[in-house]
């Protein structure tokens, strides 16, 4: 691999997509231990990035300002002043291509799926995993550039202050590390498992004596309140919308088992190698699901039509075809193996 000294990675959103790019960061650092690596990202996802030795510097990109000439001019001056010798665009859409172009780097690359005109800015790096999981597609950029890739590793951040906040909050609630995290929301409604199903599952978990913590973004507050009112059990704790991103990571880090449909926090759990149950139907786990390891347990709707070639299917009835019994059976088997 060429001895690059100053690299800009561009992956600005979203939660799961940023985590999918972390193994590529790991591989780059393994091949270029002395390079300076900077990451361009939207502010709300910046806490997903690890610090040194993985990422030396973070550049916050204001997505609302990317159509402002004055903002673009100042961004260009800032990026040019850093003298990048290579950009690696792992988003490959118009807004990321703009950042890549403004970087002034003499070499600008992206993974093979160059969309929204990004092919006019970046050179596609096409590898053997072109149609495989998106993590492997990203890792192909390192392989094609001549780097070695040894497995899939996620260099996740570890915020000790956030960990302290979560540990104190849980201790105040009488919760040990033997708890289940359930995240009921998802970015698109067609990816969600019905709230009634989540409620019935949480009732079973709580009545078994397990502490259950429901979590998620502030946009999912109503879902959290619905489940809280439906379950009505002291073993259920509603933290939906009540954690920062860093605190959510630490909440998941210390859980016993994680359960959700295809949503961003699922990929946090996978990166942390937590035992997890992932519910899929309208999206393809073979393209963007939790990747690798015996900790992963995927339940796919019997009516799923999602494939790696058609990764998102607009089928509002699909996820409801996963019965509560199926999830409970997988959970029970996980407990038996854990004993």
């Amino acid at each position: 691999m060429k001895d690059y000294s100053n690299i800009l990675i561009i992956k600005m959103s979203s939660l799961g997509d940023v985590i999918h790019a972390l193994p590529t960061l790991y591989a780059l650092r393994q091949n270029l231990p002395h390079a300076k690596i900077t990451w361009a990202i939207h502010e709300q996802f910046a806490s997903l990035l690890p610090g040194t030795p993985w990422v030396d510097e973070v550049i916050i990109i204001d997505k609302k300002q990317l159509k402002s000439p004055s903002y673009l001019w100042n961004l260009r001056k800032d990026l040019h002043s850093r003298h990048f010798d290579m950009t690696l665009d792992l988003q490959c859409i118009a807004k990321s291509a703009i950042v890549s172009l403004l970087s002034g780097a003499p070499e600008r690359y992206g993974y093979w799926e160059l969309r929204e005109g990004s092919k006019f800015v970046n050179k596609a790096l096409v590898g053997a995993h072109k149609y495989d999981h998106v993590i492997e597609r990203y890792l192909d950029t390192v392989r094609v550039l001549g780097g070695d890739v040894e497995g899939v590793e996620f260099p996740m951040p570890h915020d000790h202050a956030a960990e302290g906040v979560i540990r104190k909050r849980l201790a105040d609630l009488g919760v040990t590390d033997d708890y289940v995290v359930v995240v009921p929301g998802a970015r698109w409604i067609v990816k969600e498992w019905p709230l009634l199903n989540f409620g019935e599952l949480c009732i079973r978990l709580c009545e078994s004596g397990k502490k259950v913590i429901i979590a998620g973004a502030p946009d999912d507050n109503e879902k959290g309140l619905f489940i809280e009112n439906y379950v009505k059990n002291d073993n259920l704790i509603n933290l939906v919308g009540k954690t920062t991103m860093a605190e959510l990571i630490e909440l998941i880090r210390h859980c016993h088992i994680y359960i959700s449909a295809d949503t961003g926090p699922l990929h946090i759990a996978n990166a942390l190698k937590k035992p997890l149950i992932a519910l899929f139907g309208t999206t393809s786990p073979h393209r963007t699901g939790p990747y690798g390891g015996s900790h992963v347990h995927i339940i796919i709707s019997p009516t799923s039509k999602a494939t790696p070639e058609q990764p998102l299917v607009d089928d509002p009835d699909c996820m409801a075809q996963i019965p509560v019994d199926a999830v409970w059976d997988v959970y029970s088997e996980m407990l038996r193996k854990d004993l």
Side-chain angles (χ1 to χ4, degrees):
M1 188 175 196
K2 185 175 176 180
D3 190 22
Y4 296 105
S5 61
N6 197 0
I7 299 168
L8 175 64
I9 296 175
I10 306 168
K11 188 66 170 178
M12 297 183 283
S13 63
S14 56
L15 196 164
D17 293 341
V18 171
I19 291 177
H20 284 152
L22 292 179
T24 298
L25 168 67
Y26 180 90
L28 275 176
R29 178 56 78 204
Q30 294 300 108
N31 284 274
L32 299 168
H34 303 297
K36 180 178 181 180
I37 298 179
T38 303
W39 194 305
I41 195 168
H42 295 323
E43 186 173 16
Q44 65 265 43
F45 302 113
S47 57
L48 293 169
L49 299 179
T52 55
W54 309 104
V55 175
D56 298 292
E57 196 167 0
V58 175
I59 297 176
I60 301 299
I61 304 295
D62 187 344
K63 63 180 178 181
K64 295 180 180 179
Q65 296 292 320
L66 282 175
K67 293 182 180 179
S68 164
S70 61
Y71 176 80
L72 293 175
W73 176 251
N74 289 328
L75 179 61
R76 179 184 180 277
K77 287 197 296 183
D78 179 26
L79 295 176
H80 271 248
S81 70
R82 300 170 188 266
H83 304 292
F84 296 111
D85 50 17
M86 188 263 277
T87 62
L88 185 59
D89 182 356
L90 297 178
Q91 197 127 21
C92 295
I93 58 177
K95 66 178 183 179
S96 60
I98 289 171
V99 177
S100 182
L101 179 64
L102 294 179
S103 72
E107 297 182 35
R108 300 187 298 271
Y109 299 110
Y111 80 109
W112 75 268
E113 199 173 7
L114 299 175
R115 296 162 290 166
E116 299 180 4
S118 58
K119 65 181 179 180
F120 298 110
V121 174
N122 302 312
K123 178 181 178 181
L125 299 174
V126 185
H129 299 275
K130 182 176 181 180
Y131 297 109
D132 293 334
H133 195 284
V134 70
I135 288 174
E136 295 290 357
R137 300 182 192 197
Y138 295 163
L139 283 170
D140 267 351
T141 60
V142 177
R143 296 182 181 109
V144 174
L145 289 171
D148 295 323
V149 175
E150 298 177 0
V152 175
E153 297 291 339
F154 296 86
M156 289 289 288
H158 192 164
D159 188 319
H160 293 284
E163 182 179 35
V165 168
I166 286 297
R167 283 199 172 278
K168 183 179 186 307
R169 188 180 300 178
L170 295 181
D172 290 345
L173 294 166
V175 180
T176 66
D177 283 357
D178 189 31
Y179 61 88
V180 175
V181 169
V182 174
V183 175
R187 187 176 177 186
W188 292 300
I189 192 169
V190 294
K191 297 199 298 182
E192 294 180 355
W193 201 38
L195 283 178
L196 282 173
N197 289 21
F198 270 119
E200 289 294 332
L201 177 65
C202 287
I203 287 174
R204 295 193 194 187
L205 291 167
C206 290
E207 289 182 348
S208 74
K210 205 75 169 179
K211 293 289 187 181
V212 179
I213 300 177
I214 49 175
D219 289 345
D220 295 324
N221 279 338
E222 289 187 7
K223 296 182 179 71
L225 289 172
F226 175 89
I227 294 174
E228 182 180 2
N229 292 328
Y230 185 83
V231 175
K232 290 185 171 65
N233 191 301
D234 290 341
N235 281 335
L236 184 85
I237 297 165
N238 181 8
L239 292 185
V240 176
K242 299 174 184 176
T243 61
T244 65
M245 184 74 75
E247 290 166 358
L248 178 63
I249 292 172
E250 299 310 316
L251 178 69
I252 294 173
R253 186 190 303 277
H254 294 287
C255 76
H256 184 203
I257 293 175
Y258 172 96
I259 304 172
S260 78
D262 182 12
T263 185
L266 171 67
H267 304 292
I268 294 175
N270 183 55
L272 295 171
K273 295 182 169 55
K274 302 303 298 185
L276 63 87
I277 301 175
L279 312 180
F280 276 78
T282 53
T283 52
S284 170
H286 304 295
R287 184 177 187 271
T288 56
Y291 192 64
S294 60
H295 63 285
V296 175
H297 302 80
I298 297 176
I299 301 174
I300 301 176
S301 167
T303 62
S304 174
K305 295 182 176 63
T307 65
E309 294 74 30
Q310 189 179 8
L312 177 61
V313 178
D314 187 7
D315 181 352
D317 299 318
C318 180
M319 292 298 292
Q321 306 313 308
I322 300 176
V324 176
D325 283 346
V327 182
W328 181 255
D329 288 346
V330 171
Y331 168 79
S332 299
E333 181 63 22
M334 291 169 71
L335 288 188
R336 281 193 291 271
K337 290 181 178 179
D338 194 39
L339 295 177

